[in-house]
Amino acid sequence: EPEVTQTPSHQVTQMGQEVILRCVPISNHLYFYWYRQILGQKVEFLVSFYNNEISEKSEIFDDRFSVERPDGSNFTLKIRSTKLEDSAMYFCASIYESTDTQYFGPGTRLTVL
Amino acid sequence: AQKVTQAQTEISVVEKEDVTLDCVYETRDTTYYLFWYKQPPSGELVFLIRRNSFDEQNEISGRYSWNFQKSTSSFNFTITASQVVDSAVYFCALINGNNAGNMLTFGGGTRLMVKP
């Protein structure tokens, strides 16, 4: 059964650096999402992406964040000028139709030191 | 705006006990979808069930059952004869049908600890 994959599983970076989190959605899916979960807290929506543009974004998704689907298979989340409070688990999800169930990748744990 | 509330932050039971996890939601839309996800200690989010707002039929899957009641805006999850492997954080979530981005709104989660 196809799965969403994410790399790396764990990323450690220094405050102020840029990071790119990578996701490979399921191949025929059209809608893509990033969520984050600060340790011990609930899962929060960051951004949705459809037809090569952002559909919705949350307040968390400030101008340090960007998403891209560079090559038709990868879906990336870039965070510039990382802050300590960006430390969290980041989950990617994809779906084919807008009301489908979102299946999540295994997550990338980002640690900002 | 939509909201999901899981009032129970932590529940501890002994193996073989039945346990119910509560979920209350708020939405102004008439079309919406409700979900439960399991997050085991390994950290991934595992889909358990999805219901749409027009289907109030309760569902049973093995030891798991779900009770959806629109009158009380609740979508509760019961585990019968709990097992140690059920220990996890369980999240209830909602998507509004008219939401262009169709993002999931999660509740705060309930940590279930099943002791042997």
Side-chain angles (χ1 to χ4, degrees), chain B residues 20-21 23 25 34 36 48-78 80:
Chain B
T20 295
L21 310 182
C23 171
Y25 62 92
L34 294 163
W36 277 94
L48 294 178
I49 190 170
R50 161 202 171 98
R51 304 302 283 172
N52 72 53
S53 52
F54 300 110
D55 183 3
E56 283 193 76
Q57 190 172 8
N58 292 330
E59 181 153 342
I60 298 174
S61 176
R63 296 184 297 107
Y64 295 172
S65 62
W66 291 269
N67 182 272
F68 175 28
Q69 292 198 339
K70 287 177 76 170
S71 60
T72 55
S73 298
S74 65
F75 185 43
N76 296 338
F77 173 29
T78 297
T80 303

Side-chain angles (χ1 to χ4, degrees), chain A residues 1 7 17 19 25-26 36 48-49 61 67 74-75 83-84 97 110:
Chain A
E1 187 173 323
T7 55
Q17 297 296 304
V19 295
I26 295 171
R36 83 164 187 195
S48 59
F49 191 83
F61 195 88
V67 288
N74 290 285
F75 179 51
K83 302 178 180 179
L84 295 176
E97 291 181 341
L110 175 65

Side-chain angles (χ1 to χ4, degrees), chain A:
Chain A
E1 187 173 323
E3 292 180 337
V4 177
T5 59
Q6 291 184 243
T7 55
S9 56
H10 192 188
Q11 173 92 46
V12 181
T13 190
Q14 294 292 323
M15 188 170 57
Q17 297 296 304
E18 175 181 290
V19 295
I20 297 176
L21 310 184
R22 290 183 167 79
C23 168
V24 179
I26 295 171
S27 63
N28 65 337
H29 283 187
L30 303 175
Y31 296 79
F32 313 104
Y33 302 83
W34 283 102
Y35 293 81
R36 83 164 187 195
Q37 184 184 30
I38 294 172
L39 186 63
Q41 298 187 22
K42 70 177 180 181
V43 181
E44 301 172 289
F45 167 77
L46 287 177
V47 65
S48 59
F49 191 83
Y50 170 72
N51 201 25
N52 279 322
E53 60 183 25
I54 291 174
S55 306
E56 292 280 340
K57 60 183 180 179
S58 71
E59 293 174 353
I60 302 167
F61 195 88
D62 62 31
D63 56 9
R64 299 181 300 114
F65 289 78
S66 61
V67 288
E68 198 177 32
R69 189 153 160 79
D71 55 13
S73 62
N74 290 285
F75 179 51
T76 61
L77 174 68
K78 183 188 293 186
I79 310 174
R80 294 184 291 106
S81 304
T82 50
K83 302 178 180 179
L84 295 176
E85 52 264 40
D86 294 330
S87 294
M89 180 77 91
Y90 289 80
F91 291 101
C92 174
S94 71
I95 55 177
Y96 177 69
E97 291 181 341
S98 61
T99 55
D100 283 350
T101 296
Q102 292 179 29
Y103 290 88
F104 289 85
T108 293
R109 180 165 297 286
L110 175 65
T111 302
V112 182
L113 302 175

Side-chain angles (χ1 to χ4, degrees), chain A residues 56 98-99, chain B residues 2 27-33 95-103:
Chain A
E56 292 280 340
S98 61
T99 55
Chain B
Q2 60 270 17
T27 177
R28 284 190 287 242
D29 284 2
T30 55
T31 301
Y32 52 90
Y33 302 85
I95 284 179
N96 281 325
N98 297 322
N99 182 330
N102 284 299
M103 61 275 207

